[in-house]
Amino acid sequence: MILTGDYHTHTVYSDGENTISENAACAKELGIGTIAITEHGFTHLVFGLRRKQKEEYVREIHRARDETGINVLVGIEGNVCGLAGRSDLKEEDYADFDIFLAGFHLMSQHDTPRDFFNSTRGYFKYHWGGKPSARLVADTTRSYINAIQKNPIDVITHLNYECFADAVEVAKCCRDEGTYIEISGKKPHLSDEELVAVAETGVRFLVNSDAHSVTRIGDVAIALEQLQRVGIPFDRVDNIEGRVPVFRLAQYKERHL
Ligand SMILES: [Zn+2]
Ligand SMILES: [Zn+2]
């Protein structure tokens, strides 16, 4: 199935393997009309986009748009930094960006020691097993919700990857604020049961590749397979079958900038 847009890809600006123009050329070759370049955000301590690279990054994406003639979006995959709801883009960045993704990542800045311990605990429990405490789940859920409410986040990436939130509560907030939940083509992050419960909230989905090299751009097969397996109709997904998503950041910019 051809995507209307692949809204989550990485390049050499963070931990991807290819250049912006290579990602864009690949999308064009595949017949995908829109590709977002969404590097890890400024608050990622290891391979996030650096603030001093921002201008060059934006320029290069605009150049790729001119070269290919397809829609290449300036994006970021920001972090959910903690209970305060901080994420990567500030109001003054909005003019430069087209799409704002956010997810939990281990090596991001945290606002308080409690946020750091929550993130680290979640990571270790995810990979080594063990039941998360009620407080950890409550804090993680609250961190997602505060981030979604305080920032015009367009898409929550890999919900509950390396962390433990109440996915249904996060989904309700996404539904109310107009934020998409991404079903990743990289690997499944919600169990079948969780995905069904999340869908029952009425939230809308995107399927994206999270490609870190051109070999995976547009690859969402496992996401579609899971949706089909659990009986969620494809019309709940807004970037396939010719549908075009409506993004919060763009709407925010129209109203406020
Ligand atoms: Zn990520
Ligand atoms: Zn990513």
Side-chain angles (χ1 to χ4, degrees), residues 8 10 38 40 77 158 210 212:
H8 186 173
H10 296 273
T38 54
H40 289 284
E77 183 182 10
H158 48 66
D210 195 2
H212 285 65

Side-chain angles (χ1 to χ4, degrees), residues 87-163:
S87 190
D88 291 60
L89 294 190
K90 298 178 182 159
E91 185 92 20
E92 67 254 33
D93 295 314
Y94 293 169
D96 289 320
F97 285 83
D98 304 309
I99 180 168
F100 186 175
L101 277 49
F104 249 86
H105 298 95
L106 177 70
M107 287 171 289
S108 61
Q109 288 172 13
H110 295 102
D111 292 324
T112 64
R114 179 169 167 180
D115 294 324
F116 171 77
F117 285 120
N118 281 341
S119 173
T120 311
R121 250 182 231 131
Y123 177 87
F124 283 103
K125 284 200 189 296
Y126 185 91
H127 287 287
W128 280 277
K131 199 173 149 35
S133 67
R135 178 177 147 154
L136 178 59
V137 174
D139 276 9
T140 308
T141 307
R142 184 40 57 192
S143 300
Y144 270 117
I145 288 175
N146 284 346
I148 295 160
Q149 288 177 338
K150 289 186 179 177
N151 303 273
I153 292 170
D154 296 310
V155 186
I156 289 295
T157 62
H158 48 66
L159 176 59
N160 273 359
Y161 174 55
E162 297 183 335
C163 65

